[in-house]
């Protein structure tokens, strides 16, 4: 479980509250029920109107998955595949049947099982690749609810501020309350921007990132399963799989190894 | 019929009205005929000027379709195709003729009829694929009127506000009415943002979503029809079709099944 | 001639004037020569600086064409092609020579003439396809002048407003004229947004739409000419051509016919 | 040399100055050294920080080239290629050696020389095509410095205005000077928008346009050289090359010729 | 080490401070701890929430690499490859073994070593190309943290300003301090825009640029290694490699050489 999203959101709220306290303000001033209702209900509804109900529910499932899932460990994929390749080369493809129990990754299990069952390599490639494509499409769909919300929230915040200012402008008779009313009007803009930049947009980006990492892991597995089925040299399989790993920093594996 | 769009739009308006009432304002304050005329007629006309008349009328047909159509049930497509594949394998392609009555999906019917009629597989693929491409293009065109409107509305709202402020600034002699006039000027911005974010942009996104789901369903059917024509193994057909279904959540069918 | 653009622009201006009158303002207030000079000359010059002179003149020709041209009637393309396919199948490709007079579409004429002249099918495909690609590129270029203008105009409007406000701020000694001067300053923003959203952006979108419709018509013709040259079955030619037509609404031809 | 950019920039400045004079302002008011320093040095430095030094210098070379270069005359490319094709067909490829002196275009010369030298057609295609790809990449890189500047300038203008307003707000004791100080603060926004929309963005677009036109010319030459090497019919070569020319207006060559 | 980014950022800050001094302001006025806390911690946290922890750490490694790395010298790649091609042609592929020590580029070394070891050309191409793709993906990921920050910072600046204004509006009783408080509120917007345009966005662009240049260098090496393995003519290898170099200015190598 990678805590970047949860920690990031909490620390960002902390920075906002901290900066308010440093300026001598009262953080409770931003808790305005009408603004919160407008921004969170209004934004969610605008996003909901942009999609269908199953698709919206899927987005919430993706959010939970993206926040709690362990990022895929590519090395944990390569190692068992190379071991399988060695066994298949030595003892034949059918010998993998006995190893099937030890594989915990369901996609790798499915692929190897199909290989052991004698599925045609073209069919195998087509079926597994279609699942990768579906995974990518699902991640894009899953992120779109939050991307949409990140686009709607700031403008719905402006709606709240305009509504507040209209209310102020039609009640100019009591100048003593003006400052407080105008302040309240701006809280809607605040929450619109805040929810978009500290919650909705990061959520959408995280879902996309986690989904694409999943798809990369699946592509690595396909590569490995097809090589095992073709009886490739385990050393070449390892080199090929490593060359397809995307490093997180500027140094590619080739350069580190050199 | 998926109610997300209709319910979403109504609830968003509800949130706006609710937040106004909570702040002690009068929701009727935003009903300003000059602003409504400017935003809705002006935006529609700017979008109309960006397209042609048949294309504009098509967009309205798409809107009705996207709001009322049942989202395609992919399982409802896979099941009859697998049944057809079994029958075709057992009794030959011509035996499907007698089943044709039971198929309600016009695209599946057309594809199977062409297969039964002995159309060349390449021609069959080309004709059905061209219809999918046309469907995608039609959905993109259908959404573009509302996407355009969603882009124009906020700026036309600003036009209304500037016009209102100009009117205010040239009538500064009656300070008592200033607040009310400035408030009225901002209502145009309000409706510009509101119509874009709660109506036009969600409409465009929903049309695109529904059209693309339709196209996915059609692609699934093509895959199935071609497999039936080629006399493929029904079990493989079912696996292939399932691998091409896009799940709504993070769990791919492969992982659920595992 | 599809009137959407002309009617749309006129009605949008009507909505603006109507909303001004409803608010009790004087529509003549927005006729400010300095603002009009700045927006229309400044925007045109910024767009001109972004391109070359032949390309700019081409954009104006495209605008006239896009506003006045009849949108291509796809059925009017399919019918003569199917008739030609029948004749070519019955009497041979050379028999089309006598029909050449009756064809009014210059692109169809060119394609059929090349087919009758015995041009190699690969060359024929390459030459006609290159013209479609050129047409698409020409439409994109033609639209870019107005797309650029639509991007520049609002910001040039802000330049006008800032210039006006600077002028106001340096002449604060006469408070009685302030309101009028500030109003005048905002008129530049008004025209910047107005020209972009009611004129330039719709013009660019219309040119792109009309150009792409032209290209689709040409692609349909290529498909037909190649099928005629190959001596294809006229019924299959008709089905193929119809499957490539993009419907304006959600119902694809296949579904309507079913 | 196409004057659109130089004339466009000068006329746009003229429109700004003209509109200031019509409003009774003094154009010299916008010459504020602190604002000019901030916008032009700050923007250039932000763009420089986004790239490398050789890449930045290349962008300035591209700007000079894009402003002064004659737009490529496609007909001037087709004519000599067709003449060469005729000569090569009549007298053989080696006969072109004697014509090499008369060719002024270095890319055409290089291509024909390689053809005469007996370079393998696949190698010839690969080498010439790689240069077109490099030219496109170079134009995109060359434009990116000015595109970046066009993105940074308006926001750096806002930095200047905020700095100016902060200065004003901390010196509220002398109300008589407020107007002048606020006016000065807005000049930074003015120059930020002005430099982006009348200079940087048009420069970037012009570089891209000129670079892509160069690349199109080179693609036409490759097509011609390969056809000459293959001994193609000069009439077919001419037709093919003409079909690849992008017209500036809506009428394609085919339609004009018809 | 290309100093464009470091010098650019420092000079941009210099221009801001210089313009403040020219206007008679005190540059220290922009050092406001609450604003700095909000912008830098808030923006970093929002970007962190959009990604995972390893990916964020990778972005910082990329930043250091992109600022300090020497831009790849393409000529320094071509020269040794051509020398290797000559040696391989004269003395056979195995003769390169003795030269391996002199190669400092780890990617070139890896490629040549695999060629000498007799790796199948298709495997060699696949493995090396996968590393280029991984490098491009890594650079895009590395830049995304700063691109995200560049998008979040200005809006988090607005959050700070709104918070400050709310604080002001609720403390209107002491008019003497208003100017100073409003000024302080705007400093948050200042830092939001400043950090995005002078730091985060340039950092992201620089990382992308440097990563893509690295990838181009690697593609050049692949081209060369494959040609050496295939025993190609060293002169043709040199011409091919030069044609793939992207020039920084408008003149392509072909034109310079002519």
């Amino acid at each position: 479980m990678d805590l970047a999203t949860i920690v990031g959101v909490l620390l960002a709220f902390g920075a906002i509250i901290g900066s308010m306290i440093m300026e001598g303000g009262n953080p409770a001033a931003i808790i305005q029920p009408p603004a919160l209702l407008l921004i969170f209900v209004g934004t969610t509804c605008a996003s909901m109107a942009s999609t269908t109900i199953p698709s919206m529910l899927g987005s919430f499932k993706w959010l939970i998955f993206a926040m709690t899932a362990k990022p895929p460990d590519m090395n944990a994929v390569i190692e068992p595949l190379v071991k399988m390749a060695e066994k298949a080369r030595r003892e034949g493809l059918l010998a993998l049947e006995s190893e099937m129990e030890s594989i915990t990754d369901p996609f790798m299990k499915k692929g190897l099982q199909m290989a052991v069952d004698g599925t045609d390599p073209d069919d195998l490639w087509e079926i597994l690749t279609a699942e990768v494509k579906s995974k990518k499409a699902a991640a894009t769909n899953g992120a779109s609810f939050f991307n949409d919300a990140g686009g709607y929230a700031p403008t719905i915040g402006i709606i709240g501020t305009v509504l507040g200012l209209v209310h102020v402008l039609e009640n100019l008779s009591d100048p003593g309350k003006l400052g407080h009313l105008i302040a309240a009007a701006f809280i809607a803009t605040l929450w619109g921007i805040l929810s978009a930049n500290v919650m909705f947009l990061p959520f959408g980006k995280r879902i996309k990132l986690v989904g694409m990492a999943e798809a990369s892991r699946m592509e690595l597995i396909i590569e490995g399963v097809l090589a095992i089925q073709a009886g490739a040299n385990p050393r070449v399989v390892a080199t090929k799989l490593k060359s397809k790993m995307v490093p997180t920093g500027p140094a590619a594996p080739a350069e580190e190894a050199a």
Side-chain angles (χ1 to χ4, degrees), chain A:
Chain A
M1 180 168 167
D2 183 287
L3 289 169
T5 302
I6 293 169
V7 170
V9 170
L10 293 180
L11 277 185
F13 272 98
I16 291 166
I17 292 171
S19 110
M20 288 183 81
I21 292 173
M22 282 169 77
E23 277 181 333
N26 177 3
I30 65 173
I31 309 297
Q32 299 270 4
L36 291 168
L37 166 76
L38 178 64
I39 301 309
F40 286 97
V41 176
T43 300
T44 309
C45 289
S47 288
M48 178 181 159
S50 309
T51 187
T52 57
I53 287 174
S55 187
M56 180 176 68
L57 298 178
S59 286
F60 285 106
K61 282 189 217 148
W62 264 106
L63 179 61
I64 293 167
F65 175 75
M67 278 179 144
T68 58
K70 218 167 147 291
D73 179 356
M74 296 304 180
N75 284 314
V77 167
I78 293 179
E79 208 184 308
L81 284 171
V82 172
K83 246 175 58 193
M84 288 289 181
E86 279 161 5
K87 194 178 174 86
R89 203 141 204 231
R90 271 198 323 268
E91 309 172 26
L93 210 52
L94 291 178
L96 299 184
E97 189 71 63
S98 62
E99 300 284 325
M100 220 54 95
E101 283 306 292
S102 68
I103 298 171
T104 52
D105 185 307
F107 188 72
M108 200 189 288
K109 200 170 206 161
K110 181 180 178 178
L112 288 172
Q113 189 64 58
M114 286 174 78
V116 168
D117 291 354
T119 311
D120 177 70
D122 284 351
D123 281 347
L124 182 59
W125 179 85
E126 194 188 330
I127 289 168
L128 297 183
T129 300
E131 285 200 24
V132 175
K133 219 181 131 197
S134 295
K135 176 67 83 184
K136 286 180 183 175
T140 304
N141 288 350
S144 73
F145 183 84
F146 297 102
N147 289 341
D148 287 353
Y152 294 139
T155 51
I156 289 181
I158 294 175
I159 292 178
T161 296
V162 171
L163 285 176
L165 291 179
V166 165
H167 186 50
V168 170
L169 286 162
E170 299 196 326
N171 295 283
L172 291 175
S173 48
D174 186 356
K177 281 171 62 186
L178 278 188
H180 184 74
L181 283 173
I182 296 174
F186 277 106
I187 296 295
T189 290
L190 183 86
W191 277 105
I193 296 173
L194 190 59
S195 60
N197 287 280
V198 175
M199 298 169 65
F200 299 134
L201 293 176
F203 291 171
K205 284 175 198 272
R206 171 81 174 221
I207 289 173
K208 189 80 187 272
L209 190 88
V210 168
M212 290 300 138
E214 272 293 303
S216 294
R217 190 183 57 86
M218 289 163 77
E219 281 171 345
L220 222 54
I221 291 173
I222 295 176
E223 191 77 27
V225 168
L226 288 174
I228 290 169
Q229 197 183 29
N233 181 337
R235 207 173 43 77
V236 173
V237 172
T239 310
K240 273 192 190 177
L241 292 182
K242 269 175 200 155
S243 72
K244 285 186 206 293
M245 275 176 62
V246 177
T248 54
E255 287 162 44
E256 276 170 5

